[in-house]
DNA sequence: TATGAATGAGCTTTCATTCAT
DNA sequence: CATGAATGAAAGCTCATTCAT
C-alpha cells in the first residue's frame, strides 16, 4: 500500500519505479533486493522513495496490486469459450489464460513468483492473505462445481485445491524459467510443442483427479 | 568442499557451526544469510570461519555434503519392502522414505530446499549438477522400468520425470512448511491423517500417469 | 572522476578530503592507502566517502585532476622568457617551472609521483594514458624542434624522449625527497646552491644530447 | 637478518621460501605484500615463518642478502676487460655487467628494485645504509680515478655520483620493465638492438659528464 | 513535495601474529 | 623445531533510513 504521493505521480514516473522494482526483485529476490539500486534505476531520488513507500515490503506489495490491475484489464475481454464447461475444462482454460497473462508480463510474474514461491514468503509471515485469496478462488470454483452437480460431492475439496495449486505453480514456473531462455517467449509459448507439453501435464492431473474422485479423494 | 581445518575440528564444534549455518540459511536464504550471524551463533571467530570455508557458497555446499552423509547413514538399514515392487510402488516407497528423512532433519532440509528451490540457484547458475544428478536418477529409474517391461514404452520419459520432480518437491515443501508449524513434527507426519493425504497425492499422480501411459504421454 | 556530490561540496570540506587523501597516498602508496584513515582524517563518514568516489582509484584520479587544475592556474601568468628559445632552453625553462610547481605543492606531487613512479602503476595497468600524454608532449616538442631546424634531424626521438623523461623524473624525485627534509622547502629550492645543482644536471643532459645528435643518437 | 633456524634449513626449503618472497614482493610491492600468500606459496607453515623471520621487513632484508651473495658468486670469475680502463670505460663495463646480473635474476631484481626505488623505502626510513653503500662505491670509484689522474679533479664528486646513480637506476628499470615483457629476456638483452640502445644511453651520460668535467661540474 | 547529502551499522574478506600441541 | 588453529582488527564497500533544504 504505497502512499498517496506515489499514486498521484505522472504515469511515466510511476512506471519507471515499478519497472525498476520488477527488475530488482526478479534479479535478486526479496531479501537481497536493494532499494539503492531501485532508486538509481528509476531515476528518482532516495528521499522520494521514502515518500512513496514505507519500506521494501511496501514496494513489493505494490507489485501485487499492479498484477491485480493488469489481470482485471487482461480478463476484461477474455471469457471462457462457451458456458457449458465442466470444472476441468474450466481449469484448463484458466491455466492457459494464466499462461497467456504470464507471457505478456514475464518479468513482473518472474519477480513476484520468485519472491512468493522461492523465498518462502508465500507460505511464511506475509502474503498469507494473498495466498488464501488465490486458493479460495479455486475452492469456490470446486464447491460451485459440486453444487451444480458437475463434480462428485465426495471429493476432498482441500486436497483437490492443493493439487491444483501445485500444478498451477509448477506450470507457471516451467513457463517462466524455460520461457525466459527463449528469444521470443510469446512465440515459444504458443508453439505446438509447448502447448502439447502443457496439455499433457493437465491431462495427467485431470485423469488423476477424475480417478480419485470416486475412489481416493472421497471424504473419510 | 570445506578446508581440512574444518574436518579436523572436534565434532562438537563442527556441529555448532553446521547448526548455525542451517539456521541461518533456513531463516534468511542464501543471499541474505549473514556470515557474521553464523560465527556469532557458532561461537567461533570470524577469522576461524575463513579458515574453515572459502566463502558463503562453501558453507552451503558443506550442508549438501552433510545431507549426503546423513542419507547414507539413514538408508543403511532401510530397504524397499520386498523385491517385486513396480515403479510406482518403488516411487511411493522412495517418497515416503524421503519424508521420513526430511522429518528427521527438518531444519537442514528446510535450509537447503529453500535455497535450492526458492532462490533460483537450483535452476540457475550453481547447483545445476546437483539437480541433474537427482533428475537423472528418476530418469534411469523410469527407463529401467520400461526396459524390464514394467512401464509402457510409449511414456514420454522427460515429461514423466518433470511430473515426478514437481510432485516430489511439492510433497517435500508441504511436509516442511506444514510440519514446522506442528509441535511434534514426527508425530504429525506419522499420523494417519497426514499419511492418508500423502497417499492420495501419490495416487493422483500414479493414476494420472498410468492413464497417460497409453493415451496421453505417448511419444508423438 | 568523482561524483557530482563531491564537486557540490563546500570548498572547505572538499579540501579536507583532498588533503587527507594526499597525506595518505604520500605516506602509504596506493595499495596500502587506507580509506578508513582518509575518512577519519577528513572528518567525513565512510558512507559519505562512497557517495563522493566510487573507490580508491577514483580518489587518486581526482588528485590527478587537482594537479591539472593547479597547473592551469599556476601557468596562467608564467610564460617562457622570450620567444626565441631553442629546444633545450625551453626544456630547461619547463623543468624549472615544474620545480617551482612541485615546490608549491610538495605533498600533492609527492603523493602522486610515489604512486605513479613508485608502485609500478605508471608503467603498468592503469595510468598508461597519463604517461603517454606526458611523453607525447615531449616527443612533439622534439619533433617540432626538428621540423623547425633547431635540432639535428638525425636524433633518435624515442631515445631522446626516454632520456628527458628519466631526467625529469630524477630531478622531480630529488627535489621532493631532499626538499621534504628541509625546514623551508621554497627557500631551499630557490637557494643558489640548489639552483646550481639543477643547472649542472640539465647541462649534463643537454651537452650529452647535443654531442649525440650527430654522432651517437643518429638513426641507424 | 633472518634467524639461525632459517639458515640451518635444507637448501630446497630455503629456496622455496626465497622464491615465494621474490614473487610476492615483485607482484605486490612491500606494503601490500602478504605473509599469508608467502607461506602458502612456499609450502611452509605460518608458525615456521615466524620462527625464521621476525616480520615482513626481515624477509625482505634477506632478499638483499641473497643479492649480495649472488653478486659475489656472479663476479667471482668476471673481471674488467683489461687494466687500463678509464673511469667511464669502467662504469660502462660495470653497467653492462650489472645488466647481465639483472638478466640472470630478473624476478629477484624486479622485486627488490620495485620496493627500493618504487616504494620510497630506498630514500625513506630503512635501507638508507644499503643506498649509502652503493653510492659510496661509486664515490670511491670516482675519487680513486681523480687520485690516479684519470679524471679532472675539479669534478663535483657528489653531483657526478647522483648522475651515475640516476643513470644506473634508469637503465636497470628499463631492462627489467621492458625485458619482462619479452619471451626470452636473455636473448633480448644481448640482441644488437638492445645493446645499441644502452650504448647510446651511456654515451649521452659520458659525453655530458666529460663536457661538464671542465666547464660545469667544477667546484665553485 | 522533491531532493540528495549524511550517516553508522553492517557486509564479506584478508591481515599479521600468537601459542598450545 | 614444526605446526596450523585461533583470533580480532582492519580492509574495501553497500545498506536502509533520516532530515535539512
Amino acid at each position: 500500500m504505497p502512499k498517496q504521493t506515489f499514486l498521484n505521480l505522472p504515469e511515466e514516473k510511476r512506471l519507471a519505479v515499478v519497472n525498476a522494482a520488477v527488475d530488482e526483485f526478479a534479479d535478486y529476490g526479496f531479501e537481497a533486493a536493494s532499494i539503492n539500486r531501485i532508486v538509481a534505476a528509476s531515476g528518482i531520488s532516495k528521499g522520494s522513495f521514502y515518500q512513496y513507500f514505507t519500506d521494501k515490503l511496501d514496494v513489493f506489495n505494490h507489485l501485487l496490486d499492479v498484477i491485480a490491475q493488469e489481470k482485471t484489464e487482461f480478463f476484461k475481454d477474455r471469457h471462457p469459450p462457451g458456458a457449458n464447461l465442466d470444472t476441468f475444462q474450466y481449469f484448463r482454460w484458466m491455466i492457459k489464460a494464466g499462461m497467456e497473462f504470464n507471457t505478456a508480463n514475464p518479468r513482473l510474474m518472474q519477480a513476484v513468483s520468485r519472491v512468493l514461491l522461492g523465498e518462502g514468503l508465500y507460505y511464511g509471515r506475509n502474503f498469507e492473505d494473498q495466498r488464501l485469496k488465490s486458493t479460495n478462488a479455486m475452492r469456490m470454483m470446486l464447491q460451485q462445481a459440486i453444487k451444480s452437480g458437475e463434480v462428485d460431492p465426495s471429493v476432498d475439496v482441500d486436497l483437490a485445491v492443493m493439487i491444483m495449486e501445485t500444478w498451477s505453480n509448477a506450470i507457471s514456473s516451467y513457463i517462466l524459467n524455460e520461457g525466459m531462455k527463449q528469444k521470443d517467449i510469446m512465440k515459444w509459448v504458443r508453439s505446438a510443442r509447448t502447448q502439447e507439453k502443457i496439455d499433457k501435464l493437465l491431462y495427467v492431473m485431470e485423469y488423476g483427479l477424475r480417478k480419485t474422485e470416486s475412489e481416493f479423494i472421497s471424504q473419510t
Side-chain angles (χ1 to χ4, degrees), chain A:
Chain A
M1 47 217 77
K3 308 181 189 171
Q4 189 59 37
T5 52
F6 179 67
L7 303 175
N8 294 343
L9 240 44
E11 188 186 9
E12 188 192 18
K13 212 168 186 177
R14 231 172 46 235
L15 274 183
V17 175
V18 166
N19 287 337
V22 163
D23 284 340
E24 184 68 15
F25 287 120
D27 288 346
Y28 295 92
F30 184 80
E31 302 270 16
S34 154
I35 291 178
N36 278 4
R37 278 191 297 254
I38 292 178
V39 300
S42 349
I44 65 170
S45 72
K46 221 179 288 192
S48 292
F49 180 90
Y50 281 93
Q51 260 175 335
Y52 302 152
F53 307 101
T54 57
D55 55 12
K56 209 172 8 172
L57 183 54
D58 200 25
V59 213
F60 182 76
N61 273 324
H62 180 58
L63 296 191
L64 298 180
D65 292 345
V66 168
I67 289 180
Q69 289 165 27
E70 297 282 334
K71 264 193 178 146
T72 305
E73 179 68 22
F74 187 85
F75 283 100
K76 211 173 53 187
D77 305 321
R78 225 168 263 253
H79 302 105
N84 297 340
L85 303 180
D86 71 16
T87 299
F88 289 110
Q89 283 173 318
Y90 184 75
F91 186 67
R92 174 181 307 276
W93 171 82
M94 221 179 76
I95 286 279
K96 292 231 173 172
M99 272 171 49
E100 292 273 329
F101 181 77
N102 290 354
T103 309
N105 308 275
R107 285 291 276 173
L108 175 57
M109 294 311 293
Q110 197 190 19
V112 167
S113 63
R114 165 164 188 179
V115 171
L116 291 188
L117 296 176
E119 218 149 340
L121 293 185
Y122 193 47
Y123 301 102
R125 299 163 295 283
N126 323 98
F127 307 114
E128 192 66 19
D129 299 351
Q130 190 67 20
R131 191 198 165 211
L132 287 182
K133 211 162 65 182
S134 149
T135 55
N136 276 346
M138 292 199 203
R139 181 171 289 105
M140 283 174 63
M141 191 175 92
L142 266 177
Q143 284 168 337
Q144 194 149 11
I146 292 173
K147 207 189 285 180
S148 68
E150 277 180 283
V151 167
D152 185 335
S154 70
V155 161
D156 179 327
V157 175
D158 281 345
L159 185 57
V161 164
M162 191 205 295
I163 290 171
M164 291 168 79
E165 192 190 5
T166 295
W167 230 229
S168 170
N169 286 339
I171 290 178
S172 265
S173 290
Y174 176 70
I175 295 292
L176 289 174
N177 279 312
E178 291 299 311
M180 291 304 285
K181 300 178 191 165
Q182 310 297 325
K183 272 181 290 193
D184 184 344
I185 181 172
M186 189 67 82
K187 189 176 157 198
W188 173 82
V189 164
R190 292 184 173 160
S191 73
R193 192 169 155 64
T194 304
Q195 288 288 320
E196 189 193 31
K197 228 170 186 177
I198 305 299
D199 279 336
K200 283 181 180 169
L201 281 170
L202 290 168
Y203 279 127
V204 168
M205 185 198 70
E206 176 174 344
Y207 281 83
L209 280 180
R210 278 203 199 285
K211 178 71 181 175
T212 55
E213 277 175 22
S214 49
E215 295 182 30
F216 300 104
I217 309 199
S218 51
Q219 305 278 12
T220 49

